[in-house]
Amino acid sequence: MPGPSTLNRRKLLQLAGGASAAASLTIAGAHVFSPAVAAPAPKIRLAWTEVAACHSPLGFGVAKGIYAKHNLDVELFYQGASGQTLIQALATGKADAGAGLIGDWLKPLEQGFDVKLFVGSHGGCQRLLASKASGITDLQGVKGKTIATYGIGAPPQVAFQVTLAKAGIDPETDVTWKAVPFDLVGETVNRGDADLAAHLDPWAWSIEKQFGLTKIADTQTGVYADHTCCVLGANGPFLEANKDALRRLAEANIEVHEYTANHPDEVAQWYFETLKPAGLSVADLTEILGKLVYHNHPIGQELVDQIRITAEDLKLVKVLDPTTDPKQFAERITVNLLA
């Protein structure tokens, strides 16, 4: 395998794509991967949110040996459902790397946490949903309405503040944000206490189906077309000592998400049997996973560009400091493992 100095993005994708094809044959046969490298595998503690559908490829990758095939000993660390606990896990050394929403990463990194982002995973796992009773059919109809979400400043609120702002709607004064318990977002809209819900998958997908809600926006289309949604980061000391291992983690991350794009049913089956998500069937999980944008996993300069765009968006809605330079910020908090 070429060393880091000669490995460019095209080669990385070729490696991941070729490995994915081999992986398909291996999983279909023995349901396990075999390590391709004989040297001792470095250990990486990878933080994840096990209840999140979009994180299921990470668990699948460990269970089926995809990371081991890249000569990595990956141990999953359950960091909780909050992006803040993810940052804390990395900052305190409980985990070496972790997966999280860009909207969760950027403010703590602006404040100086020693973490670098190094590869994207996928796009699109948040939805803005309106009740039929509200009569809302497009973004302009959101003006003057109440939006339920599980926390002020939570990723769904921030994501759709950007969507509204770019549609000419002031996300602070033209709408009302209503914070409710995480598992009551859908119920709040259904009983008429709010007009819309801003939520994460798989819960957003579930309440859309359960209550017959209308999707007004998501983080796959509109202003988020071609954007990555979730990104892997590593704490600074671990990165400095393990750049080659993290480069291989990036390769494996791309491979497992490409595999999921082509085999969402297999990952859904694993997710269902292993994590037993309440109220969701294998068919439900297959549909959810099958609709994520798995081919959007930027690395190198492409990741820097996407982080810069997101930083600009977060400045627009006053999440990041007005003095922050998006380009310099994106370059500071990312690492190019292909350099």
Side-chain angles (χ1 to χ4, degrees), residues 14 34 46 88 93 114 120 126 155 169 209 219 224 226 333-334 339:
Q14 287 173 346
S34 298
L46 181 65
Q88 292 166 12
D114 187 11
Q126 298 171 79
I169 300 168
K209 300 291 184 183
T219 51
Y224 290 106
D226 302 320
I333 66 169
T334 56

Side-chain angles (χ1 to χ4, degrees), residues 68-79:
K69 183 165 66 68
H70 289 265
N71 197 38
L72 296 170
D73 177 9
V74 172
E75 174 188 317
L76 294 174
F77 174 81
Y78 178 53
Q79 53 83 16

Side-chain angles (χ1 to χ4, degrees), residues 181-194:
F182 191 95
D183 58 352
L184 295 181
V185 174
E187 292 281 358
T188 300
V189 174
N190 187 55
R191 66 173 177 254
D193 291 340

Side-chain angles (χ1 to χ4, degrees), residues 87-204:
I87 296 291
Q88 292 166 12
L90 295 180
T92 59
K94 293 178 181 177
D96 306 309
L101 293 160
I102 290 184
D104 274 340
W105 283 115
L106 296 198
K107 187 61 182 180
L109 298 192
E110 182 191 46
Q111 295 172 330
F113 277 89
D114 187 11
V115 170
K116 301 286 188 184
L117 307 179
F118 61 93
V119 67
S121 295
H122 64 272
C125 55
Q126 298 171 79
R127 305 174 191 227
L128 181 65
L129 307 165
S131 68
K132 291 290 195 298
S134 72
I136 301 168
T137 58
D138 58 22
L139 282 172
Q140 293 307 313
V142 177
K143 190 171 182 178
K145 303 299 185 179
T146 298
I147 306 171
T149 191
Y150 62 86
I152 301 303
Q157 185 201 17
V158 173
F160 296 117
Q161 281 183 315
V162 172
T163 299
L164 294 174
K166 291 189 172 182
I169 300 168
D170 190 315
E172 292 184 353
T173 61
D174 288 342
V175 299
T176 299
W177 296 93
K178 184 183 183 72
V180 302
F182 191 95
D183 58 352
L184 295 181
V185 174
E187 292 281 358
T188 300
V189 174
N190 187 55
R191 66 173 177 254
D193 291 340
D195 305 293
L196 302 102
H199 216 347
L200 302 163
D201 284 334
W203 306 278

Side-chain angles (χ1 to χ4, degrees), residues 11-34:
K11 176 59 70 177
L12 178 55
L13 291 174
Q14 287 173 346
L15 285 169
S20 185
S24 178
L25 293 175
T26 309
I27 278 191
H31 298 279
V32 67
F33 289 82
S34 298

Side-chain angles (χ1 to χ4, degrees), residues 3 19 36 48 51 94 96 101 128 141 149 165 178 224-225 228-229 257 263-265 279 281 286 293 320 334:
W48 73 320
V51 294
K94 293 178 181 177
D96 306 309
L101 293 160
L128 181 65
T149 191
K178 184 183 183 72
Y224 290 106
T228 195
C229 168
H257 285 87
H263 308 276
D265 55 331
S281 67
T286 299
V293 185
L320 295 187
T334 56

